[in-house]
Amino acid sequence: MNSQDSIEPEPRRYRLSEIARIISGELSGNDDLLITGVSDVEEAEEGDIVFAENDRFLRQAINSRASAIVAPLNTPDTNKAMIRVMAPRRAFISIIELFADAPRKPAGVHPSALISPTARIGQGVCIGPNVVIEDDVVIKDGSVIMANCFIGYGCTINEDCMFYPNVTLYHGVRIGKRVILHSGAVIGADGFGYMFIDDQHRKIPQIGGVIIGDDVEIGCNTTVDRAKTGMTVVGNGTKIDNLVQVGHNCKIGPNCILIAQTGLAGSVQLGQGVILGGQTGLKDHVRIGDGAIVMAQAGVFGDIPPQAVVSGYPARPHRQRLRQEAAYENLPELAKRVKSLEKLITELQQRIEDRQEEA
Amino acid sequence: MNSQDSIEPEPRRYRLSEIARIISGELSGNDDLLITGVSDVEEAEEGDIVFAENDRFLRQAINSRASAIVAPLNTPDTNKAMIRVMAPRRAFISIIELFADAPRKPAGVHPSALISPTARIGQGVCIGPNVVIEDDVVIKDGSVIMANCFIGYGCTINEDCMFYPNVTLYHGVRIGKRVILHSGAVIGADGFGYMFIDDQHRKIPQIGGVIIGDDVEIGCNTTVDRAKTGMTVVGNGTKIDNLVQVGHNCKIGPNCILIAQTGLAGSVQLGQGVILGGQTGLKDHVRIGDGAIVMAQAGVFGDIPPQAVVSGYPARPHRQRLRQEAAYENLPELAKRVKSLEKLITELQQRIEDRQEEA
Amino acid sequence: MNSQDSIEPEPRRYRLSEIARIISGELSGNDDLLITGVSDVEEAEEGDIVFAENDRFLRQAINSRASAIVAPLNTPDTNKAMIRVMAPRRAFISIIELFADAPRKPAGVHPSALISPTARIGQGVCIGPNVVIEDDVVIKDGSVIMANCFIGYGCTINEDCMFYPNVTLYHGVRIGKRVILHSGAVIGADGFGYMFIDDQHRKIPQIGGVIIGDDVEIGCNTTVDRAKTGMTVVGNGTKIDNLVQVGHNCKIGPNCILIAQTGLAGSVQLGQGVILGGQTGLKDHVRIGDGAIVMAQAGVFGDIPPQAVVSGYPARPHRQRLRQEAAYENLPELAKRVKSLEKLITELQQRIEDRQEEA
């Protein structure tokens, strides 16, 4: 690809000494080291700065690809550059903010946007080209709706939200504060429900709504269906990745993590802080307890207790599944061993028979 | 989330006595009970009315969370409110219609819609803002195309369809009557086919079309690819959930149900009334017989006979899979038992050897 | 569905004699045979012409549903019509081009398109209705951007690309030459990364970019996330199907094939010519060697060597998995056999005990 004359955004980078100054920390290591990003320890790359508030994290940080570590005051020297601070968490949040790219907003309301006269638009709201906003929509101060979004009648969007281009909200959806919706996300479409009467699938009316809590982020092309009656709910602080399906009447607690391509059938309930790995599937009406982890590709067909870690199909405690998988790997060999045993037993029986005859 | 001043759509609700009057039924139980929705028995919630036309359904209804039951005339009293009628099915269809929310249509053709002069638009067709309709498109009476949809050249959309915002039809797609397409659905994109010749994947021309039958509903962000040659077909009355992939040249029979995130490779054939659970995957060219059920997350690599119920990877009859899963759960224990057997056999052999030596 | 008065695109068809003339080949069989499409052998239907450059492909072609075969000069007669040529590969590429449907382009730049004055638009670029092109975008000669696409600031689109309606590019994405993006594809959204600090998931800044190589095709509603830092890369000639998720910082080599609904977590590395079957899932940071094949629905949790063929959960060499599956199918029977063995052993032990007592 010839991109010699493309305009590339200047990558953000800071000298380690600058960062140390900003967070009022003590620097050990190369002052001039260029830091190009901030990362969790698992995903760190060269140029990243990471965070280690205790010994375990420090060991991980030392073994990571990161170039520098933010650590508490009394931390010993390591192989990496280090900034020592009183309150490493607070310092690290400052560094995250330093690198965060504020998305460029459209300026004000674009003249091509079609906004119902009954919509109420707050202060400082930005609305991009070709956006359609239907009757009785409320958009509160500071929210940004980028190009080609569709906001159905009666929706409420609270303060400081960010909708990337081409988001669709069906009617009556309620969105919290500081919610980020990525392109292609569809919130509030009909749940999937039919009854087969007289040789036809008849649509069960989907007349409930959707509530998205504060500080939620929803990925590209993810779909959250409206409730049959009542509400589909995504709790405060929950983060949903791309291409996820949330069925009608699901109740997702606060601070959950749903990784890409996960699917929740109708009326699933997640507690708080639940983590669903990529491509997991949850049967309708299952309940997942607080802090439970469902590992990637698992199929959940029954309730999961709080703090459990489950995997596999059907999902079972992960340690149990690991033992089963290990046995499965050896299954052909086990079958051979059973075959040998059968042969041995037959021989033994024969020998006993022979000796009985002899006797 | 602060939603105190949001405008919420008034939830639909009827007193049980009103419903009894509308369907000319005999009411037993609280006249004033508020019914807020209609449901199948499995998904019923408090406030719902459900339908029980025989003893089995009645038992399920009694045990469900529903508040009221529609049942045949001679049904005995239960713990729930009940309306008895001559023809419960017909009555229940009336109740469904009572609750169904007619979607608000855009009024007529919005001035921002771009419609080719060669397109033929029927009576009472509604077309929303920013819709693009290319040459030679036919849209028949009563169909609704909401904002930001794109209809490629030569498409035909029959009577009384409903396209939610942001649906894309590639060229030449044929859509039946009363078809509902949800936001983000893409119909008629190129099938996925390449030949690797001289170190390049060369695109196999995808020059066929797509036919969507009458009364089909297709979910958000679902994709139905056009045929290589000939047609990809979705049969009358089939319902497809969100994020489903239908490959080129698939032939889906009438009244099938495809649950979310299911994927059909090329040239799959489904009979009538087939049910595919969520996240199932079907290999190219497999044929699924009438009335077969593929359970959630199954991987289908071969043909499935009519009425079969299959699950697992690779998909097998569900009862067989349940037995295998049960055995799998006990696999580590089975391995231990084989190990003990081996030890026992060795001991026995030794004892026989010893006695032979003694003798 | 009543489609009697719909306008259908005329299917492309050629007499076999015409095709023979165009590729200067020797025809054996019916001159008047109508050829309606071109295909690989596996997916051939009646009316298709296929390609057989050696004995193995010839046998497959003979057993396929194809109507005609293109083959080398000395190929013997078969049951199918045949065109013999000196260079069958080159001839077949000509036939592919014969059938390929050049997509109809919008004429020039539609007046409703909103193009920043700082964007640089090349010669012969076509831009459809309602397209939004932000600041500093570069679109090179011959590229086509269809209706409702959104191109974020600072993107570069090289020569002769084809974007179908409703594609979204976030800012700063770099697209190669001859790239095809299908409807609903979203390139460059934020990667999914958070750190849980002080009871909140805090967003890790996603400040890298995306590079899509030359001759890449990306399917409908597929999502390719931008890198945390650095670049997410899709190599030249790679083809990605519908509804695929490519996580942040993935490096996909050239000429890979990613089939529908596959998901790559962050920082996955694919070599060249890797094939990922439908609904496969790859854990973050795994590396897949050149030419490896991951079969449908597999879950990859570790590195895969070049040329390996893997399947299952967790992914293992396919032959090993087949043996394990075969044993799994017989698992309930194996459990029964172990049970019988246990009974037999007990009996044997008893007999030996008895005889010892006798003795």
Side-chain angles (χ1 to χ4, degrees), chain B residues 288-306:
Chain B
I288 313 292
D290 293 350
I293 297 174
V294 178
M295 298 191 70
Q297 289 197 327
V300 180
F301 294 83
D303 293 353
I304 305 291

Side-chain angles (χ1 to χ4, degrees), chain C residues 1 40 82 94 114 121 130 132 142 155 175 280 285-286 288 307:
Chain C
M1 183 180 126
D40 54 324
M82 193 176 283
S94 305
L114 293 156
I121 308 296
N130 305 328
V132 176
C155 286
I175 304 280
T280 51
H285 286 91
V286 301
I288 313 292
Q307 313 306 330

Side-chain angles (χ1 to χ4, degrees), chain B residues 74-86:
Chain B
N74 53 353
T75 309
D77 271 355
T78 70
N79 60 336
K80 311 248 188 217
M82 193 177 285
I83 305 177
R84 295 182 181 82
V85 289
M86 287 269 278

Side-chain angles (χ1 to χ4, degrees), chain C residues 3-211:
Chain C
S3 58
Q4 60 197 40
D5 53 353
S6 73
I7 293 157
E8 236 172 294
E10 191 64 31
R12 198 157 303 195
R13 48 184 66 199
Y14 298 90
R15 280 181 207 291
L16 197 59
S17 52
E18 288 178 82
I19 295 176
R21 187 177 46 74
I22 288 164
I23 63 174
S24 309
E26 295 168 11
L27 170 59
S28 78
N30 178 2
D31 282 39
D32 290 340
L33 192 66
L34 277 176
I35 297 300
T36 54
V38 58
S39 182
D40 54 324
V41 172
E42 287 80 10
E43 299 224 320
E45 307 288 348
E46 207 186 315
D48 283 346
I49 189 163
V50 298
F51 157 69
E53 60 170 340
N54 59 34
D55 284 359
R56 190 167 67 88
F57 282 2
L58 186 64
R59 275 194 303 276
Q60 289 182 345
I62 291 166
N63 293 320
S64 77
R65 275 161 286 201
S67 296
I69 304 172
V70 176
L73 281 180
N74 54 352
T75 310
D77 271 356
T78 70
N79 60 337
K80 312 248 186 219
M82 193 176 283
I83 305 177
R84 294 181 182 81
V85 288
M86 287 268 279
R89 282 162 178 261
R90 189 160 314 157
F92 204 69
I93 293 170
S94 305
I95 300 174
I96 287 176
E97 283 162 5
L98 203 60
F99 278 93
D101 228 0
R104 272 200 225 175
K105 304 172 185 182
V109 175
H110 194 276
S112 66
L114 293 156
I115 302 175
S116 158
T118 63
R120 290 187 281 146
I121 308 296
Q123 296 293 311
V125 168
C126 302
I127 298 180
N130 305 328
V131 168
V132 176
I133 295 177
E134 291 197 327
D135 295 348
D136 301 322
V137 167
V138 176
I139 303 181
K140 296 204 179 157
D141 299 356
S143 281
V144 176
I145 314 292
M146 289 186 69
N148 298 342
C149 286
F150 175 89
I151 313 295
Y153 62 89
C155 286
T156 298
I157 299 166
N158 275 280
E159 287 82 357
D160 300 315
C161 289
M162 176 70 197
F163 288 14
Y164 284 94
N166 190 30
V167 164
T168 302
L169 259 53
Y170 281 51
H171 66 275
V173 169
R174 284 152 54 183
I175 304 280
K177 297 173 184 168
R178 297 172 301 277
V179 169
I180 302 173
L181 299 186
H182 286 280
S183 295
V186 181
I187 315 295
D190 288 347
F192 193 69
Y194 304 90
M195 293 179 72
F196 200 68
I197 306 181
D198 291 349
D199 295 325
Q200 281 183 47
H201 293 294
R202 288 172 199 269
K203 192 171 168 72
I204 297 175
Q206 305 288 319
I207 55 178
V210 180
I211 298 176

